[in-house]
Amino acid sequence: PPFTIPEGTDPERAWTKLKNTIENDSVLKTKVVDDSLHYIRAEAPSVFPPTSIDDVEFLMPVPSDMKIFYRSNSRDLIKAGQQFQVSDSGTHKKRLDRVQSGAGLGTMEEVTNDAAKYLEDFNNMNFFEKQQFLSKPADINFLDNKVPQ
């Protein structure tokens, strides 16, 4: 679920605090900031594979909705066979939790039926179906969904 801006907080101030949190993070390197679109793209070194880069994006499409959407994923897809799953050791979640905490943002408490169905469908896929699904462009499109060179 998206980050939420605490009630009574000005969305523009929350956005500024998020930008500052990302800019002061020792791992994240800010690459694109577009305040007119309320969009930030940052990069971080990947844990696995260690030579790759993780893209981390934040978007506040409608400030009055008090929600900031995010995504974090590696540019490289690792295929290691059906019996061997490659873990990021929780790096993406820890990174996002650190940003959320530093910016003073909350989370939505409820998961929609659509999100629950999405997760159920994904969990019911076999390894190859998951790899095929994950190699397609994301349904959630942050601006143009292009991977930087």
Side-chain angles (χ1 to χ4, degrees), residues 46-67:
S46 245
V47 170
F48 194 84
T51 57
S52 185
I53 295 172
D54 292 342
D55 290 303
V56 187
E57 296 176 287
F58 301 88
L59 178 68
M60 184 172 65
V62 182
S64 62
D65 283 351
M66 308 290 276
K67 295 176 190 166

Side-chain angles (χ1 to χ4, degrees), residues 1-3 15 18 22 28-34 37-44 54-61 68-75 92 95-96 99 105 138 140-148:
F3 294 152
W15 183 252
L18 174 66
I22 294 166
L28 289 171
K29 302 297 177 222
T30 304
K31 295 296 183 177
V32 176
V33 175
D34 187 331
L37 295 174
H38 293 101
Y39 172 78
I40 299 170
R41 184 178 67 77
E43 295 177 353
D54 292 342
D55 290 303
V56 187
E57 296 176 287
F58 301 88
L59 178 68
M60 184 172 65
I68 298 174
F69 297 87
Y70 56 86
R71 77 176 190 169
S72 175
N73 46 281
S74 179
R75 290 183 188 173
H92 293 279
R95 181 184 304 133
L96 290 167
V99 169
L105 300 169
I140 300 172
N141 190 331
F142 283 79
L143 300 183
D144 62 9
N145 204 27
K146 290 183 181 172
V147 176

Side-chain angles (χ1 to χ4, degrees), residues 15-136:
W15 183 252
T16 300
K17 190 169 183 182
L18 174 66
K19 282 192 313 187
N20 292 337
T21 299
I22 294 166
E23 288 170 1
N24 293 323
D25 190 277
S26 62
V27 176
L28 289 171
K29 302 297 177 222
T30 304
K31 295 296 183 177
V32 176
V33 175
D34 187 331
D35 286 326
S36 67
L37 295 174
H38 293 101
Y39 172 78
I40 299 170
R41 184 178 67 77
E43 295 177 353
S46 245
V47 170
F48 194 84
T51 57
S52 185
I53 295 172
D54 292 342
D55 290 303
V56 187
E57 296 176 287
F58 301 88
L59 178 68
M60 184 172 65
V62 182
S64 62
D65 283 351
M66 308 290 276
K67 295 176 190 166
I68 298 174
F69 297 87
Y70 56 86
R71 77 176 190 169
S72 175
N73 46 281
S74 179
R75 290 183 188 173
D76 293 326
L77 177 65
I78 303 300
K79 296 181 181 181
Q82 191 168 5
Q83 300 302 317
F84 182 70
Q85 293 186 354
V86 179
S87 171
D88 72 344
S89 303
T91 303
H92 293 279
K93 181 173 179 359
K94 290 173 192 170
R95 181 184 304 133
L96 290 167
D97 287 347
R98 187 174 66 244
V99 169
Q100 176 189 5
S101 174
L105 300 169
T107 55
M108 293 181 67
E109 295 298 321
E110 67 182 61
V111 175
T112 65
N113 288 336
D114 289 342
K117 172 129 178 58
Y118 175 90
L119 292 172
E120 181 182 343
D121 289 348
F122 184 79
N123 288 331
N124 288 331
M125 291 180 192
N126 66 38
F127 177 81
F128 296 107
E129 291 169 330
K130 286 180 182 178
Q131 295 305 314
Q132 184 177 20
F133 177 78
L134 292 171
S135 66
K136 294 178 184 174

